[in-house]
Structure formats: C-alpha cells, structure tokens
Amino acid sequence: MHAPVLVLQDSMKREQGGKVQRANIQAAKAVADIIRTTLGPRSMLKMLLDAAGGIVVTNDGNAILRELDLAHPAAKSMIELSRTQDEEVGDGTTSVIVLAGEMLHVAEAFIDKKYHPTVICRAYGKALEDAIAVLDKIAMTIDVKDRATMLGLVKSCIGTKFTSQFGDLIADLAIDATTIVGVEVGQGLREVDIKKYIKVEKVPGGQLEDSTVLKGVMMNKDVVAPGKMRRKIVNPRIILLDSPLEYKKGENQTNAELLREEDWNVLLKMEEEYIENMCAQILKFKPDVVITEKGLSDLACHYLSKAGVSAIRRLRKTDNNRIAKACGAVIVNRPDELQESDVGTGAGLFEVKKIGDEFFTFIVDCKDPKACTVLLRGASKDLLNEVERNLQDAMSVARNIIKNPKLVPGGGATELTVSAMLKQKSSSIEGIEKWPYEAAAIAFEAIPRTLAQNCGVNVIRTMTALQGKHANGENAWIGIDGNTGEIADMKEQKIWDSYTVKAQAFKTAIEAACLLLRIDDIVSGIKKKQAPGASQGPSKPKVEGEDDADNDQLIPE
C-alpha cells in the first residue's frame, strides 16, 4: 500500500538533488567561461579592478580568479582548484578550470537522464586512471643538464604568457635561478625550494633586458653609518647575528635604586662595557661585514666603524637565511658563541649601490651559493608585477622538470591522445558506466578546442582534422600551434608540457568534478537578515530627558 508513496518521495528527493547539481554545474561553467579566453599564446588579457581602485592587467588564471568575489559555493570551490594547482606545480591553472568545467558540463546530460551521481563519478575515476596510464605511455624522459631542451620546455610553458614577447629572457632567468638553488638530497634526487631561497626584487626603471640573476643576495638596506663605513669590500668575511648589539633592557619592570651621584656613572659605565665586550667578541674574528636582525646601538656602531667593519641592522629573518645560504655563514644567537666556522667567506663582493632614490646592498659573486636573487627591471610597477607572476610560473616549471624530468606534448596534443585512447577503450566497458566514461573522453577535447577558439581559426574544421589524425593513432604529437592555429607536430615545433603539471591538472579537475557532482543539497548556516520594517530586533536605545530623571525611584539609604 505504501510502496508508491515511498517511490514518489524518493523521486522527489532525487529531483531536488538534480536541481542542486544543475546549479553547481552552471556555477562551475560560469567560472570556466570567465578564464577560457586566457588559455594559449594568443590569449586575451583581463583587467582587474580591486576594492582600493588599483588595476591589475594579467592573463594568469590564478591571479584572475584570486580577485573574483563570487557568492555561489560551487564557484568558490572551482576557484580553490586553481589555487591548489598553483601551489602544487605552479602552472596549468587555467587548464585545470577549463577541464573541470567541461567535465561537469558533459555530466549534465546524465543528471537530466536521472543517472545517479555515484555512477558518473565511478566512470570518471576509471577515466582518470586510464588517462594517467596514457600520459605514462607517451611521456619522454629528458636530460636536465641539456640547457637547450630545458630552455625550449620552459619557453613553451610560458609561451602563453605576456612576457613571451621578450624571447628567451624570462626562461633564461628561471633556469639560472632554479639551477643555483637546487640541492642534492641523495639517490639522484634534487630539491628546489623556490619560495625560501629565490627572492625576486622588482626595481622600476631601466629596461626589462637589464634583469639578471645575481649569484648571491640583494636587500633594500644601507650600512648603519654611511660616512664612516665602507660600501665596497672584495672577498668580505661576513658574520650574521640574530641578537641585538645594544644594551639589553630588563625582561619586565626593573628598578635600580641609585643613592649617590657617582652610582649613575657606574651604571652607564657598565652599559658601555657590556657593549664593548660584545663588539670585542665579534672583532676577534676580524669580520668585514656584520649583519644583525635586531637593533644596533650608536656605541656599537662606533666600535665597529673604528675597526673598519661595515654593519647592517634590522634585516628580515628570511633575507638573513638567504645570505647564510649564499655565503656559507651560520646565523649566531649570541656573540659569545661565535666560532671561526660561523664566519661566511663564500661571497666575492659586498657592495652598496644606489638605484633610483634608494640604496641596495649586494652580496654577490658567491662561490657556491644555494640562494639567489632575481633582479627585475622594467618601465612600470604593473609591468613588473606581471613579469614576476610569469617568472614564478617559469621557475615552477623548471623545478618540476628538475624533480621529474619527463615531458608530454603541448598544444592540446596530450589531451587529444588521451581522448582518442579513452574513446577506444570505452567500447570494451560494459554496463551503465560506458556512457559517462565516453563523455569524459570527449571532455578532454575542451583544451585543444579552446586553443583553436583563441587563435581565431575555424574550430569545427580544425578539431575534425585533429580527431582524424589521432583516431587511428597516427601520431601522439600532433596538436595546434597556438600562434598560427595550424595543425603541427609538437616535437618539431618544440612545444612541450611538463608531465607533472599535466598529471596534476587531470587529477585535480576530475576529482573536483566528482566532488561537485556528489553534492545533493546546499544547507545554509547563515542567519537571514531581517527585512526592513519588521518589528522584531533590538529596539533603539532611549535617550533620557530631564523630565524622566525626576520620575526615577530613589534608592533608599
């Protein structure tokens, strides 16, 4: 008797779930459409206006999405994808959004046909496993020490960016910087920490071609006493401290009771002797440069300058770590713990130069630096910011190759190969999962299709020709030349992608699509605002007048 009622309730629930999924898919597609035009070398730029009225001009997918303020939770989830991709591998932020948007778009037809989301997700999971297997099959290993191949790879990965018009410049900077900070961690593995040991200094003025990678460190600091201290020292001995070179004040309230006038002089003398001893302990090691993260008193400055030592104070901790890595020094906590091995002797030159209106300290020409600074010059701040974003991507690509030296073809060729292989395999899949699996195969074509759209060529004709070439497994390296829109061999054109970036993009996009499909309800935990004119809510504070004061009841004594 009750069965039909249960069936009805179940179908109503599923209908409700379907509505939520459609809304999520629409939101995800909207995000993908915003940055679809920024994919490929012929991509468009976006101008972003922030709340403070500042302007950013960029075609970096992650930079654009960071600025978006979207209300829909599914759209926010999509924005997180590009952040994940950027933090993990530093490139492919646009591709991952376009791919995830397409995966959800093709799933919409199955939601309409009342397919259960779990079925679609299971098919997508299989498609992902097979896609990674195809990547492994077509990937080719390269020699990291081959500079020309590395240059070609980094160039093709940032060829879609604004700075590609400046030729090899950014790619050269990126390869030089990542090669310097690479550290062997055993078993033939190299670790490259971009965030910690590569500092990008942007100095407006000059030309972009003046940008260089310094074999050492540069800081926006000057010596403490410019007239008395040397501003140029060859082969300096450097001591790094993170303690103050001034009289230490009491931890909490300290009282000193002075009964006679002479006691005051004794106290001052003790302070001076304390600082003199500290400086003597440092000068014992005959340093040329003393750098501290904390303060440095006038008296200490006097003793140091008298001994011909240049000093710099209040340096950032991160900069101090970089200097230690560059010149082989050890950061010391207390001057009385100094040892000869703590002195940095690896730097070739200490120099303070004036660039524009500001003084910059250079500790360069280091023997075996494990930290470096990239000095960027350019016409305006906007230009420099965009160059820095592109440089970060280029360095990430170089780092990925050093960690995992495998390449796959660029220009949409990888996605077309994966798509063709998955289509072939779909015929052997039985049951209801066959159709979503095939749809996932078609979704991979979104990348080459978007590239063709952004080149302004006939999309249908180009895609048909490409599908024809890949369908019979003719050549996995046939793709689209992003500049001309013509079909070309990616090996000849030297258009490559990093295996790590591609694999991460596929995983992130498909897993995110599955996550959004499995949401069947959005429950809000936010209280609704009161409608204007409603009686509830806190009453206005009442202002007391003179008349009211008389009516107050007096408190009995």
Side-chain angles (χ1 to χ4, degrees), residues 456-528:
V457 294
N458 186 324
V459 179
I460 297 171
R461 196 170 290 168
T462 309
M463 284 305 292
T464 312
L466 281 168
Q467 283 162 349
K469 286 197 181 297
H470 279 270
N472 50 18
E474 190 181 306
N475 187 349
W477 293 76
I478 298 286
I480 296 176
D481 181 340
N483 288 310
T484 59
E486 289 168 6
I487 293 171
D489 188 326
M490 297 292 111
K491 227 178 216 166
E492 287 169 15
Q493 296 283 340
K494 294 204 162 102
I495 299 175
W496 293 319
D497 262 330
S498 158
Y499 170 87
T500 320
V501 172
K502 271 279 173 274
Q504 182 68 33
F506 287 2
K507 287 175 191 167
T508 310
I510 291 182
E511 282 169 14
C514 291
L515 175 81
L516 287 176
L517 283 174
R518 288 170 70 167
I519 295 169
D520 69 346
D521 212 344
I522 297 174
V523 184
S524 171
I526 305 163
K527 281 183 184 164
K528 285 220 169 89

Coordinates of all heavy atoms in Angstrom, one line a residue, residues 456-528:
G456 N 41.4 32.1 -33.3 CA 40.6 32.7 -34.3 C 40.4 31.9 -35.5 O 40.1 32.4 -36.6
V457 N 40.7 30.5 -35.5 CA 40.6 29.7 -36.7 C 39.2 29.0 -36.7 O 38.5 29.1 -35.7 CB 41.7 28.6 -36.8 CG1 43.0 29.3 -36.9 CG2 41.7 27.7 -35.6
N458 N 38.9 28.3 -37.8 CA 37.6 27.6 -37.9 C 37.7 26.4 -36.9 O 38.4 25.4 -37.2 CB 37.4 27.1 -39.3 CG 36.0 26.5 -39.5 OD1 35.5 25.8 -38.6 ND2 35.4 26.7 -40.6
V459 N 37.0 26.5 -35.8 CA 37.1 25.5 -34.7 C 36.7 24.1 -35.2 O 37.4 23.1 -35.0 CB 36.3 25.9 -33.5 CG1 36.4 24.9 -32.4 CG2 36.8 27.2 -33.0
I460 N 35.5 24.0 -35.9 CA 35.0 22.7 -36.2 C 35.9 22.0 -37.2 O 36.3 20.8 -37.0 CB 33.6 22.8 -36.9 CG1 32.6 23.4 -35.8 CG2 33.1 21.5 -37.4 CD1 31.3 23.8 -36.3
R461 N 36.4 22.7 -38.2 CA 37.3 22.1 -39.2 C 38.6 21.6 -38.6 O 39.0 20.5 -38.8 CB 37.6 23.2 -40.3 CG 38.2 22.6 -41.6 CD 38.2 23.6 -42.7 NE 36.8 23.9 -43.2 CZ 36.6 25.0 -44.0 NH1 37.5 25.8 -44.3 NH2 35.3 25.2 -44.4
T462 N 39.2 22.5 -37.7 CA 40.4 22.1 -37.1 C 40.3 20.9 -36.2 O 41.1 20.0 -36.2 CB 41.0 23.3 -36.2 OG1 40.9 24.5 -37.0 CG2 42.3 23.1 -35.7
M463 N 39.2 20.9 -35.4 CA 39.0 19.8 -34.4 C 38.8 18.5 -35.2 O 39.2 17.5 -34.8 CB 37.8 20.1 -33.5 CG 38.1 21.1 -32.4 SD 39.5 20.7 -31.4 CE 38.9 19.3 -30.5
T464 N 38.0 18.6 -36.3 CA 37.7 17.3 -37.0 C 39.0 16.8 -37.6 O 39.3 15.6 -37.5 CB 36.7 17.7 -38.2 OG1 35.6 18.4 -37.7 CG2 36.2 16.4 -38.8
A465 N 39.8 17.7 -38.1 CA 41.1 17.2 -38.7 C 42.0 16.6 -37.6 O 42.6 15.5 -37.8 CB 41.8 18.4 -39.3
L466 N 42.0 17.2 -36.4 CA 42.9 16.7 -35.3 C 42.3 15.4 -34.9 O 43.1 14.4 -34.6 CB 42.9 17.7 -34.2 CG 43.8 18.9 -34.3 CD1 43.5 19.9 -33.2 CD2 45.2 18.5 -34.2
Q467 N 41.0 15.3 -34.7 CA 40.4 14.0 -34.3 C 40.7 12.9 -35.2 O 41.0 11.7 -34.9 CB 38.9 14.1 -34.1 CG 38.5 14.9 -32.8 CD 37.1 15.4 -32.9 OE1 36.5 15.4 -33.9 NE2 36.6 15.9 -31.7
G468 N 40.7 13.2 -36.5 CA 41.0 12.2 -37.6 C 42.4 11.7 -37.4 O 42.7 10.5 -37.6
K469 N 43.4 12.6 -37.2 CA 44.8 12.3 -37.1 C 45.0 11.4 -35.8 O 45.9 10.5 -35.8 CB 45.7 13.5 -37.0 CG 45.8 14.2 -38.4 CD 47.0 15.1 -38.4 CE 47.1 15.8 -39.8 NZ 47.4 14.9 -40.9
H470 N 44.3 11.7 -34.7 CA 44.5 10.9 -33.5 C 43.7 9.6 -33.4 O 44.1 8.7 -32.7 CB 44.2 11.8 -32.3 CG 45.3 12.8 -31.9 ND1 46.3 12.5 -31.1 CD2 45.5 14.0 -32.4 CE1 47.1 13.5 -31.0 NE2 46.7 14.4 -31.8
A471 N 42.6 9.6 -34.2 CA 41.7 8.4 -34.1 C 42.4 7.1 -34.5 O 42.3 6.1 -33.8 CB 40.5 8.6 -34.9
N472 N 43.2 7.2 -35.5 CA 43.9 6.0 -36.0 C 45.3 5.8 -35.3 O 46.2 5.1 -35.8 CB 44.0 5.9 -37.5 CG 44.6 7.2 -38.1 OD1 45.2 8.0 -37.3 ND2 44.4 7.5 -39.3
G473 N 45.6 6.6 -34.3 CA 46.8 6.5 -33.6 C 48.0 6.9 -34.4 O 49.1 6.4 -34.2
E474 N 47.8 7.8 -35.4 CA 48.9 8.2 -36.3 C 50.1 8.7 -35.6 O 51.2 8.3 -35.8 CB 48.3 9.2 -37.3 CG 49.2 9.5 -38.5 CD 48.5 10.5 -39.4 OE1 47.3 10.3 -39.8 OE2 49.1 11.5 -39.7
N475 N 49.8 9.8 -34.8 CA 51.0 10.4 -34.1 C 50.5 11.2 -32.9 O 49.6 12.0 -33.0 CB 51.6 11.4 -35.1 CG 52.9 12.0 -34.5 OD1 53.2 11.8 -33.3 ND2 53.7 12.7 -35.3
A476 N 51.0 10.8 -31.7 CA 50.5 11.4 -30.5 C 51.0 12.8 -30.4 O 50.5 13.5 -29.5 CB 51.0 10.6 -29.3
W477 N 51.9 13.2 -31.2 CA 52.5 14.6 -31.1 C 51.9 15.6 -32.0 O 52.4 16.7 -32.1 CB 54.0 14.5 -31.3 CG 54.7 13.7 -30.2 CD1 54.7 12.4 -30.1 CD2 55.4 14.2 -29.1 NE1 55.4 12.0 -29.0 CE2 55.9 13.1 -28.4 CE3 55.7 15.5 -28.7 CZ2 56.6 13.3 -27.2 CZ3 56.5 15.7 -27.5 CH2 56.9 14.5 -26.8
I478 N 50.7 15.3 -32.6 CA 50.1 16.3 -33.5 C 49.1 17.1 -32.6 O 48.3 16.6 -31.9 CB 49.2 15.6 -34.6 CG1 50.1 14.7 -35.5 CG2 48.4 16.6 -35.4 CD1 51.0 15.5 -36.5
G479 N 49.3 18.4 -32.7 CA 48.5 19.4 -31.9 C 48.3 20.7 -32.7 O 48.5 20.8 -33.9
I480 N 47.9 21.7 -31.9 CA 47.7 23.0 -32.5 C 48.8 24.0 -32.2 O 49.2 24.1 -31.1 CB 46.4 23.6 -32.0 CG1 45.2 22.8 -32.4 CG2 46.2 25.1 -32.5 CD1 43.9 23.3 -31.8
D481 N 49.4 24.6 -33.2 CA 50.3 25.7 -33.0 C 49.6 26.9 -32.5 O 48.8 27.5 -33.3 CB 51.1 26.0 -34.3 CG 52.2 27.1 -34.1 OD1 52.0 27.8 -33.1 OD2 53.1 27.2 -34.9
G482 N 49.7 27.2 -31.2 CA 48.9 28.3 -30.6 C 49.1 29.6 -31.2 O 48.2 30.5 -31.0
N483 N 50.1 29.9 -32.0 CA 50.3 31.2 -32.6 C 49.6 31.3 -33.9 O 48.9 32.4 -34.2 CB 51.8 31.5 -32.8 CG 52.5 31.8 -31.5 OD1 52.1 32.6 -30.7 ND2 53.6 31.1 -31.3
T484 N 49.6 30.3 -34.7 CA 49.0 30.4 -36.0 C 47.7 29.7 -36.1 O 46.9 29.9 -37.0 CB 50.0 29.8 -37.1 OG1 50.2 28.4 -36.7 CG2 51.3 30.5 -37.1
G485 N 47.5 28.7 -35.2 CA 46.2 27.9 -35.3 C 46.3 26.8 -36.2 O 45.3 26.1 -36.5
E486 N 47.5 26.5 -36.8 CA 47.7 25.4 -37.8 C 48.0 24.1 -37.0 O 48.5 24.1 -35.9 CB 48.8 25.7 -38.7 CG 48.5 26.9 -39.7 CD 49.7 27.4 -40.5 OE1 50.8 26.8 -40.3 OE2 49.5 28.3 -41.2
I487 N 47.6 23.0 -37.7 CA 47.9 21.7 -37.1 C 49.4 21.4 -37.4 O 49.9 21.6 -38.5 CB 47.0 20.6 -37.8 CG1 45.6 20.9 -37.4 CG2 47.5 19.2 -37.4 CD1 44.6 20.1 -38.1
A488 N 50.1 21.0 -36.3 CA 51.6 20.8 -36.5 C 52.1 19.7 -35.5 O 51.4 19.3 -34.6 CB 52.3 22.2 -36.1
D489 N 53.3 19.3 -35.8 CA 53.9 18.3 -35.0 C 54.6 19.0 -33.8 O 55.5 19.8 -34.0 CB 55.0 17.5 -35.8 CG 55.5 16.3 -35.0 OD1 55.6 16.4 -33.7 OD2 55.8 15.2 -35.6
M490 N 54.2 18.7 -32.6 CA 54.7 19.4 -31.4 C 56.2 19.2 -31.2 O 56.9 20.0 -30.6 CB 53.9 19.0 -30.2 CG 52.5 19.4 -30.2 SD 52.2 21.1 -30.2 CE 51.6 21.4 -31.9
K491 N 56.7 18.0 -31.6 CA 58.1 17.7 -31.5 C 59.0 18.7 -32.3 O 60.0 19.2 -31.9 CB 58.4 16.3 -31.9 CG 59.2 15.5 -30.9 CD 59.4 14.1 -31.3 CE 59.4 13.2 -30.1 NZ 59.2 11.8 -30.4
E492 N 58.5 18.9 -33.6 CA 59.2 19.8 -34.5 C 59.1 21.2 -34.0 O 60.1 22.0 -34.0 CB 58.7 19.7 -35.9 CG 59.1 18.4 -36.6 CD 58.3 18.2 -37.9 OE1 57.6 19.2 -38.3 OE2 58.3 17.1 -38.4
Q493 N 57.9 21.6 -33.5 CA 57.7 23.0 -33.1 C 58.3 23.3 -31.7 O 58.3 24.4 -31.2 CB 56.2 23.3 -33.0 CG 55.5 23.2 -34.3 CD 55.7 24.4 -35.1 OE1 56.1 25.5 -34.6 NE2 55.5 24.3 -36.4
K494 N 58.8 22.2 -31.0 CA 59.3 22.3 -29.6 C 58.3 22.9 -28.7 O 58.6 23.8 -27.9 CB 60.6 23.1 -29.6 CG 61.8 22.4 -30.4 CD 63.1 22.9 -29.8 CE 64.2 22.0 -30.2 NZ 65.0 22.3 -31.3
I495 N 57.1 22.4 -28.8 CA 56.0 22.8 -27.8 C 55.7 21.7 -26.9 O 55.2 20.7 -27.3 CB 54.7 23.3 -28.6 CG1 55.0 24.4 -29.5 CG2 53.6 23.6 -27.6 CD1 53.9 24.8 -30.4
W496 N 56.2 21.8 -25.7 CA 56.1 20.7 -24.7 C 55.4 21.2 -23.4 O 55.3 22.4 -23.1 CB 57.5 20.2 -24.3 CG 58.2 19.6 -25.4 CD1 57.7 18.7 -26.4 CD2 59.6 19.8 -25.8 NE1 58.7 18.3 -27.2 CE2 59.9 19.0 -26.9 CE3 60.7 20.5 -25.2 CZ2 61.1 18.9 -27.5 CZ3 61.9 20.4 -25.8 CH2 62.1 19.6 -27.0
D497 N 55.0 20.2 -22.6 CA 54.5 20.4 -21.3 C 55.2 19.5 -20.3 O 55.6 18.5 -20.7 CB 53.0 20.1 -21.3 CG 52.1 21.4 -21.5 OD1 52.6 22.4 -21.1 OD2 51.0 21.3 -22.1
S498 N 55.2 19.9 -19.1 CA 55.8 19.1 -18.1 C 54.8 18.0 -17.7 O 53.6 18.3 -17.5 CB 56.1 20.0 -16.8 OG 56.2 19.2 -15.7
Y499 N 55.3 16.8 -17.5 CA 54.4 15.6 -17.2 C 53.7 15.9 -15.8 O 52.6 15.6 -15.7 CB 55.3 14.4 -17.1 CG 54.6 13.2 -16.5 CD1 53.9 12.3 -17.3 CD2 54.7 12.9 -15.1 CE1 53.2 11.2 -16.7 CE2 54.0 11.8 -14.5 CZ 53.3 11.0 -15.3 OH 52.7 9.9 -14.8
T500 N 54.5 16.5 -14.9 CA 54.0 16.7 -13.5 C 52.8 17.6 -13.6 O 51.8 17.4 -12.9 CB 55.1 17.4 -12.6 OG1 56.3 16.7 -12.9 CG2 54.7 17.2 -11.2
V501 N 52.9 18.7 -14.4 CA 51.8 19.7 -14.5 C 50.5 19.0 -15.1 O 49.4 19.2 -14.6 CB 52.2 20.9 -15.4 CG1 51.1 21.8 -15.6 CG2 53.4 21.7 -14.7
K502 N 50.7 18.3 -16.2 CA 49.6 17.7 -16.8 C 48.9 16.7 -15.9 O 47.7 16.7 -15.8 CB 50.0 16.9 -18.1 CG 50.0 17.8 -19.3 CD 48.6 18.0 -19.9 CE 48.6 19.0 -21.1 NZ 48.4 20.3 -20.7
A503 N 49.7 15.8 -15.3 CA 49.1 14.8 -14.4 C 48.3 15.4 -13.3 O 47.2 15.0 -13.0 CB 50.2 13.9 -13.9
Q504 N 48.9 16.5 -12.7 CA 48.2 17.2 -11.6 C 47.0 17.8 -12.1 O 45.9 17.8 -11.4 CB 49.2 18.2 -11.0 CG 48.7 19.0 -9.8 CD 48.5 18.1 -8.6 OE1 49.2 17.2 -8.4 NE2 47.5 18.4 -7.8
A505 N 47.0 18.4 -13.3 CA 45.8 19.1 -13.8 C 44.6 18.1 -14.0 O 43.5 18.3 -13.6 CB 46.1 19.8 -15.1
F506 N 45.0 16.9 -14.6 CA 43.9 15.9 -14.8 C 43.3 15.4 -13.5 O 42.1 15.3 -13.3 CB 44.5 14.7 -15.5 CG 44.8 14.9 -17.0 CD1 44.6 16.2 -17.6 CD2 45.4 13.9 -17.8 CE1 44.9 16.4 -18.9 CE2 45.6 14.2 -19.2 CZ 45.4 15.4 -19.7
K507 N 44.2 15.1 -12.5 CA 43.7 14.6 -11.2 C 42.9 15.7 -10.5 O 41.8 15.4 -10.1 CB 44.9 14.3 -10.3 CG 45.7 13.1 -10.7 CD 46.9 12.9 -9.8 CE 47.9 11.8 -10.4 NZ 49.2 11.9 -9.7
T508 N 43.4 16.9 -10.5 CA 42.6 18.0 -9.8 C 41.2 18.2 -10.4 O 40.2 18.3 -9.7 CB 43.4 19.3 -9.8 OG1 44.7 19.0 -9.3 CG2 42.8 20.3 -8.8
A509 N 41.2 18.3 -11.8 CA 40.0 18.6 -12.5 C 38.9 17.5 -12.3 O 37.8 17.8 -12.0 CB 40.3 18.8 -14.0
I510 N 39.3 16.2 -12.5 CA 38.4 15.2 -12.4 C 37.9 14.9 -11.0 O 36.7 14.8 -10.7 CB 38.9 13.9 -13.0 CG1 39.1 14.1 -14.5 CG2 38.0 12.7 -12.7 CD1 39.6 12.9 -15.3
E511 N 38.8 15.0 -10.0 CA 38.4 14.8 -8.6 C 37.4 15.9 -8.1 O 36.5 15.7 -7.4 CB 39.6 14.7 -7.7 CG 40.3 13.4 -7.8 CD 41.6 13.3 -7.1 OE1 42.0 14.2 -6.4 OE2 42.4 12.3 -7.4
A512 N 37.7 17.2 -8.6 CA 36.8 18.3 -8.2 C 35.5 18.1 -8.9 O 34.4 18.4 -8.2 CB 37.5 19.6 -8.7
A513 N 35.4 17.7 -10.1 CA 34.2 17.5 -10.8 C 33.3 16.4 -10.1 O 32.1 16.6 -9.8 CB 34.4 17.0 -12.3
C514 N 34.0 15.3 -9.6 CA 33.3 14.3 -8.9 C 32.7 14.8 -7.5 O 31.6 14.5 -7.1 CB 34.2 13.1 -8.6 SG 34.6 12.2 -10.1
L515 N 33.6 15.7 -6.9 CA 33.2 16.3 -5.6 C 31.9 17.1 -5.8 O 30.9 17.0 -5.0 CB 34.3 17.1 -5.1 CG 34.0 17.9 -3.8 CD1 34.1 17.0 -2.6 CD2 34.9 19.1 -3.6
L516 N 31.9 17.9 -6.8 CA 30.7 18.8 -7.0 C 29.5 18.0 -7.4 O 28.3 18.4 -7.1 CB 31.0 19.9 -8.1 CG 32.0 21.0 -7.6 CD1 32.3 22.0 -8.7 CD2 31.4 21.8 -6.4
L517 N 29.7 16.9 -8.2 CA 28.5 16.1 -8.6 C 27.9 15.4 -7.4 O 26.7 15.1 -7.5 CB 29.0 15.1 -9.7 CG 29.2 15.6 -11.1 CD1 29.8 14.5 -11.9 CD2 27.9 16.1 -11.7
R518 N 28.7 15.1 -6.4 CA 28.1 14.3 -5.3 C 27.4 15.2 -4.3 O 27.0 14.7 -3.2 CB 29.2 13.5 -4.7 CG 29.6 12.3 -5.7 CD 30.8 11.6 -5.2 NE 30.6 10.8 -4.0 CZ 31.5 9.9 -3.6 NH1 32.6 9.7 -4.2 NH2 31.2 9.3 -2.4
I519 N 27.4 16.5 -4.5 CA 26.6 17.4 -3.6 C 25.2 17.3 -4.0 O 24.8 17.6 -5.1 CB 27.2 18.8 -3.7 CG1 28.6 18.9 -3.2 CG2 26.3 19.8 -2.9 CD1 29.3 20.2 -3.5
D520 N 24.3 16.9 -3.1 CA 22.9 16.9 -3.4 C 22.0 17.9 -2.7 O 20.8 18.0 -2.9 CB 22.3 15.5 -3.2 CG 22.2 15.1 -1.7 OD1 22.9 15.8 -0.9 OD2 21.5 14.1 -1.4
D521 N 22.7 18.7 -1.8 CA 21.9 19.7 -1.1 C 22.9 20.8 -0.6 O 24.0 20.4 -0.2 CB 21.1 19.1 0.0 CG 19.8 19.9 0.2 OD1 19.7 21.0 -0.3 OD2 18.9 19.3 0.9
I522 N 22.5 22.0 -0.6 CA 23.3 23.1 0.0 C 22.5 23.6 1.2 O 21.4 24.1 1.0 CB 23.6 24.2 -1.0 CG1 24.4 23.7 -2.2 CG2 24.3 25.4 -0.3 CD1 24.6 24.7 -3.3
V523 N 23.1 23.4 2.4 CA 22.4 23.8 3.6 C 23.1 25.1 4.1 O 24.3 25.1 4.3 CB 22.5 22.7 4.7 CG1 21.7 23.1 5.9 CG2 21.9 21.4 4.1
S524 N 22.3 26.1 4.3 CA 23.0 27.4 4.7 C 23.0 27.5 6.2 O 22.0 27.2 6.9 CB 22.2 28.6 4.1 OG 22.7 29.7 4.7
G525 N 24.1 27.9 6.8 CA 24.2 28.1 8.2 C 24.2 29.5 8.6 O 24.5 29.9 9.7
I526 N 23.9 30.4 7.6 CA 23.9 31.8 7.8 C 22.5 32.3 8.2 O 21.5 32.0 7.5 CB 24.4 32.6 6.5 CG1 25.7 32.0 6.1 CG2 24.5 34.1 6.8 CD1 26.1 32.3 4.7
K527 N 22.4 33.1 9.2 CA 21.1 33.7 9.5 C 20.7 34.7 8.5 O 21.5 35.5 8.0 CB 21.2 34.4 10.9 CG 21.2 33.4 12.1 CD 21.2 34.1 13.4 CE 21.3 33.1 14.5 NZ 21.7 33.7 15.8
K528 N 19.4 34.7 8.2 CA 18.9 35.6 7.2 C 18.8 37.0 7.8 O 18.4 37.1 9.0 CB 17.5 35.2 6.7 CG 17.5 34.0 5.7 CD 16.5 34.2 4.6 CE 16.7 33.2 3.5 NZ 16.0 32.0 3.7

